[in-house]
Amino acid sequence: MSTFTLKMEIADNRHYNGQLSPLFTAAEAEKARAFHQAVEGYQPTPLHSLDCLAKAIGVGKILVKDEAYRFDLNAFKMLGGAYAIARLLCDEFKLDINAFDFAKLKNDITEKMTFATATDGNHGRGVAWAANKLGQNAVVYMPKGAADERVNNIRALGAECIVTDMNYDDTVRLAIKTADENGWKVVQDTAWEGYTEIPTWIMQGYTTMAAEAVDQMKAMTVERPTHVFLQAGVGAMAGGVLGYLCDQYGPDKLHSVVVEPDQADCIYRSGISEKGEMINVDGDLATIMVGLACGEPNPIGWPVLRDCSTQFVSCQDSVAALGMRVLGNPLGSDPRVVSGESGAVGAGLLAAVHFHPEKDKLMEKMGLNKDSVVLLINTEGDTDPVHYREVVWGGKHQTI
């Protein structure tokens, strides 16, 4: 690259104490995975080994858990939404989650329920998918600027989809207010006072992909990752996955990096705050990483990230765009990974470090060397295919 223009801030976690959460243990993860395994069409998503990219960057291994293959939904989010709805219905009808049956419950529910949520796209699609499977109703609210493809994907599942003129966090508040007025069940991936059970279930649902990855690494004879890069919006996915991985390996054995867009970096700001308190970010939250365009941390996920993350990163949109191009145009025999804006930022961070004029200094800061095994989560495929082509083909959000 002739001129490097990518900007990122990498901060050590000043509040790390290695305290594990009891919510994301192997036992809880196995409950969620058993549920997902019983869903028709379930298959573990691939764990790709990008050996040529690893060699080029100067690390031992780069592994990408590719959630673009999750059912037919092109993203991981249904793991949380479907599991939470199943747990909610089990509570409502006094059922055992271990014997949950979509077809039987669909026939047994005589009066339709309505599930409401706010989403940047993938979470709402997961909720709509689960409601559709169960013959129930879903109402999904999306913030301003929502891509047509994401809206249409939700409506294609029979859900009502309403695009607001608000940012994500204000759209969440609208969804809660409207659901309360109509007696609907809110299925949201963040928590607030009096609303913690459902978002905990959602986060536990996300641990399925981490549990799969652990098994897949064992099959590759990879003892453990030395590093994991986790992108964060409210921090639900990052908190659930990190909680599980730390339970598996121990937080002191895992260099964990939480990555966010600089226009919505509430986790980063919380991490560098003096007391480790949750810091909100307001405004338009204008970023191409729409799945991460969240300004208020999840109160369940934040303690996990505060206590166990190694570093926090705030970066430009061009870092995610670089990741999309790197994954979509692989080196040598590496498999091609189609990754959307939010899914690619971890790979983009690795590439940005590699191309940075102070690469050696940054590699040392992040503990990266020839023996490092880096786990990345591609949380979505090309969920906005028009924008994907603009970035990968058209060079939008250029890096030189």
Side-chain angles (χ1 to χ4, degrees):
M1 289 191 174
S2 55
T3 304
F4 186 89
T5 59
L6 296 180
K7 293 181 181 178
M8 53 198 173
E9 300 292 336
I10 302 173
D12 292 337
N13 182 2
R14 60 193 296 183
H15 308 291
Y16 174 95
N17 64 23
Q19 182 69 43
L20 295 178
S21 169
L23 298 175
F24 308 110
T25 61
E28 287 296 340
E30 283 310 309
K31 287 182 191 175
R33 183 153 65 153
F35 164 76
H36 293 127
Q37 288 171 332
V39 177
E40 183 181 358
Y42 167 82
Q43 289 184 350
T45 54
L47 183 68
H48 304 299
S49 185
L50 305 186
D51 297 336
C52 297
L53 180 62
K55 183 178 180 180
I57 289 176
V59 297
K61 211 162 191 62
I62 296 174
L63 301 171
V64 181
K65 182 66 170 162
D66 192 355
E67 290 298 302
Y69 291 88
R70 186 62 67 183
F71 291 92
D72 294 321
L73 299 176
N74 208 11
F76 79 105
K77 284 283 191 173
M78 67 73 54
L79 292 172
Y83 185 59
I85 286 174
R87 292 291 301 260
L88 190 157
L89 290 171
C90 285
D91 275 9
E92 186 85 9
F93 295 100
K94 311 303 179 193
L95 302 172
D96 179 4
I97 187 63
N98 297 310
F100 191 89
D101 186 313
F102 272 91
K104 183 177 186 305
L105 194 59
K106 183 176 181 178
N107 292 329
D108 289 348
I109 299 175
T110 55
E111 186 173 340
K112 283 191 175 184
M113 299 173 66
T114 298
F115 302 106
T117 193
T119 184
D120 288 308
N122 295 334
H123 170 68
R125 191 177 181 186
V127 169
W129 179 87
N132 180 271
K133 283 277 188 182
L134 290 162
Q136 308 305 298
N137 299 321
V139 179
V140 179
Y141 292 85
M142 299 187 73
K144 61 184 176 181
D148 290 343
E149 183 81 9
R150 293 187 172 108
V151 173
N152 293 336
N153 284 337
I154 290 169
R155 289 176 176 164
L157 290 166
E160 182 180 358
C161 186
I162 301 161
V163 179
T164 73
D165 60 356
M166 308 170 185
N167 70 16
Y168 172 81
D169 299 293
D170 289 335
T171 300
V172 171
R173 284 183 269 275
L174 175 65
I176 296 165
K177 178 177 180 292
T178 309
D180 286 345
E181 292 170 351
N182 289 280
W184 301 337
K185 295 285 187 181
V186 176
V187 182
Q188 200 60 49
D189 57 352
T190 194
W192 53 88
E193 186 175 352
Y195 186 80
T196 58
E197 194 169 46
I198 289 173
T200 298
W201 289 334
I202 289 173
M203 292 175 66
Q204 289 170 339
Y206 295 157
T207 63
T208 286
M209 61 183 170
E212 290 175 357
V214 167
D215 286 350
Q216 289 165 322
M217 283 186 281
K218 288 177 182 175
M220 293 177 175
T221 67
V222 174
E223 181 182 355
R224 63 178 178 85
T226 60
H227 292 68
V228 61
F229 288 11
L230 296 167
Q231 53 271 55
V234 297
M237 184 282 289
V241 169
L242 182 59
Y244 174 79
L245 292 176
C246 285
D247 183 72
Q248 286 288 303
Y249 303 119
D252 58 325
K253 298 285 198 308
L254 189 66
H255 190 116
S256 50
V257 182
V258 180
V259 191
E260 292 172 286
D262 60 3
Q263 297 300 302
D265 56 357
C266 56
I267 302 295
Y268 173 87
R269 297 194 196 192
S270 302
I272 64 173
S273 67
E274 184 176 347
K275 296 181 180 179
E277 298 172 338
M278 292 189 299
I279 304 295
N280 294 344
V281 176
D282 55 17
D284 286 344
L285 311 177
T287 171
I288 64 169
M289 295 172 263
V290 293
L292 311 180
C294 311
E296 300 178 14
N298 181 334
I300 301 169
W302 169 238
V304 180
L305 302 178
R306 177 196 62 207
D307 295 345
C308 294
S309 298
T310 308
Q311 288 170 320
F312 301 106
V313 175
S314 173
C315 66
Q316 291 178 307
D317 281 352
S318 47
V319 173
L322 176 61
M324 293 167 70
R325 289 191 278 268
V326 166
L327 291 173
N329 299 274
L331 290 173
S333 59
D334 285 354
R336 178 175 180 243
V337 179
V338 175
S339 181
E341 302 82 356
S342 299
V345 68
L349 176 60
L350 269 180
V353 168
H354 173 64
F355 288 119
H356 201 281
E358 296 185 350
K359 175 183 176 178
D360 292 344
K361 181 179 177 181
L362 290 176
M363 291 279 283
E364 183 179 359
K365 181 177 180 64
M366 300 181 75
L368 292 167
N369 56 46
K370 63 181 178 59
D371 298 318
S372 298
V373 177
V374 184
L375 175 63
L376 308 175
I377 312 288
N378 176 30
T379 48
E380 62 172 358
D382 54 345
T383 52
D384 182 355
V386 172
H387 189 259
Y388 181 85
R389 288 192 295 274
E390 289 174 349
V391 171
V392 178
W393 288 12
K396 194 174 182 180
H397 306 288
Q398 63 183 5
T399 55
I400 56 174

